[in-house]
Amino acid sequence: MASPKNSWVLKGFFSTLFVLICLLAFLLTACQKNDQQGTASKEETAPTASVPQTATPAEGAEKALGPGDPVIEVDGVKMTKGQLDTEVNRKLESIRKRVPAEKLPQVKTNIQKRLIDDFVVKTLLNNEVNRLKITATEQEVNEAVEKLKSSLPANVSLENLLKKNQMTREKMREEIRLGIQINKLMVSRTKNLPKPTEKEITSFYKKNQDRFKLPEAVHVRHILIARAPDDGEKVIAEKKAKAEGLRKKILAGADFAELAKSNSDCPSKSAGGDLGIVSRGQMVKPFEDAIFSLKKNQIGPVVQTEYGFHVVQVLDVRQPKTVALDERTKGMISSFLLQQKQQEAFRKMVASLKEKANIIAYMP
């Protein structure tokens, strides 16, 4: 079952370390749960990236390329067909089960184009930070590694993450180092951007009221006794009885969090079963119906879903409301608007670098 996350009122917040995050995003996708039903693949739904318009098609670009042949060249730096195919296959493998077979060819094409464009942008930025002699210290790299570690789920280690993504620790540090250098480049280009005015903040708030509406939600925790697809009737009955027994213990005064830690089959067990704030549409229907029928602090009946049996408790109930334009909200809006300006500055910088670069495309 998908674990809900506390949502920002403003969607699409843009971190000042966005470049580093983008470079490491492929690593973090390994942490995402793949069992969410109805979730479309990003590679399927995201806008297709394209080779920059400044790229010059090479002579004979229509011919079939071998593994050692370049597919794109940026100021003399080349990506080979073999390198591209390796990355494409790795990404396809991670999403294959979530994409209908008939859509895989288009998804593959989208991934290819996105990887090529990413290579172009990364190479241009790498060349620019080197030209400007922007560096990253070992301490900065170490701190970024620790930050990455702290962002991982409790059940995912950095070593397992690297292994799953077929990346060495040295390669990871190299990517992080470049991310830090690019971030320094962006800081230097955006440090003089004007801060959003009070008028801009108020105007954004009035024009984007939907962004500030908080839906009905509940703060919930649960204990999951998971069932397997091949469980027989006897095993299912035993698991249901276990869940009922845990519920009785809680009603008799036992500590919910402690029982969750020692009995739950959900990763949330490490947090005492706490799933955080949940809105409608985030959970499977039987679970959603159960938790939204409960009052604050109420222990509900055992809920059966496709995942197993759940002992649930609602810790708080939040009624629908619109967030007021107070100082905290103004600060969030100000940050969001400033980050939009930073994104635009980044796009303009990359566009300028592309115009000056010699980019040759070898794929049709």
Side-chain angles (χ1 to χ4, degrees), residues 145-264:
V145 171
E146 292 305 312
K147 186 173 183 178
L148 174 60
K149 285 182 180 179
S150 66
S151 71
L152 298 178
N155 61 333
V156 178
S157 71
L158 182 59
E159 294 305 322
N160 289 339
L161 195 59
L162 292 175
K163 183 177 181 181
K164 185 169 184 176
N165 286 275
Q166 301 176 18
M167 174 177 274
T168 64
R169 183 173 284 270
E170 290 72 25
K171 179 63 175 175
M172 177 198 70
R173 291 181 65 86
E174 179 185 323
E175 295 290 336
I176 289 176
R177 186 181 302 280
L178 176 58
I180 294 170
Q181 291 171 294
I182 295 171
N183 191 62
K184 288 182 177 181
L185 171 63
M186 283 310 302
V187 169
S188 69
R189 296 289 180 92
T190 60
K191 63 182 179 182
N192 294 322
L193 287 175
K195 292 183 178 180
T197 64
E198 188 78 17
K199 183 178 180 180
E200 289 174 321
I201 292 171
T202 302
S203 174
F204 181 89
Y205 178 79
K206 290 180 177 179
K207 292 178 179 178
N208 295 275
Q209 280 290 291
D210 286 347
R211 292 175 179 251
F212 299 93
K213 291 180 179 178
L214 295 177
E216 177 189 12
V218 293
H219 182 186
V220 64
R221 61 182 176 180
H222 80 144
I223 299 173
L224 169 65
I225 306 302
R227 58 173 295 183
D230 57 350
D231 282 349
E233 290 185 8
K234 181 180 178 181
V235 174
I236 292 175
E238 289 173 348
K239 290 182 175 180
K240 182 178 181 181
K242 180 179 180 180
E244 294 285 3
L246 291 170
R247 179 177 181 271
K248 288 180 180 178
K249 288 183 180 180
I250 294 168
L251 290 173
D255 187 289
F256 192 111
E258 290 303 318
L259 288 180
K261 289 177 182 177
S262 56
N263 292 278
S264 184

Side-chain angles (χ1 to χ4, degrees), residues 1 13 17 44 60 77 79 90 92 95 109 129 135 145-146 150 210 231 263 303 323 353 362:
M1 182 167 58
F13 256 80
L17 289 175
E44 177 186 343
V77 182
M79 169 187 263
R90 185 178 65 78
L92 275 178
I95 64 170
T109 298
V129 296
T135 62
V145 171
E146 292 305 312
S150 66
D210 286 347
D231 282 349
N263 292 278
V303 183
V323 176
L353 292 174
Y362 294 88

Side-chain angles (χ1 to χ4, degrees), residues 6 11 56 60 66 84 88 121 192 203 205 228 276 281 289 293 298 303 307 310 334 347 351 357 359-360:
N6 293 330
K11 303 297 190 294
T56 303
L84 176 62
V88 169
V121 173
N192 294 322
S203 174
Y205 178 79
D289 289 344
S293 68
Q298 186 177 355
V303 183
Y307 299 98
H310 309 256
S334 178
R347 282 191 287 266
I359 304 175
I360 304 174

Side-chain angles (χ1 to χ4, degrees), residues 45 216 260 337:
T45 59
E216 177 189 12
L337 294 177

Side-chain angles (χ1 to χ4, degrees), residues 15-52:
S15 169
T16 53
L17 289 175
F18 70 98
V19 179
L20 173 58
I21 292 172
C22 288
L23 289 173
L24 296 177
F26 72 95
L27 276 178
L28 298 180
T29 54
C31 303
Q32 296 173 348
K33 296 182 182 296
N34 295 331
D35 58 0
Q36 298 186 26
Q37 294 194 355
T39 301
S41 163
K42 288 183 180 179
E43 284 75 9
E44 177 186 343
T45 59
T48 302
S50 59
V51 176

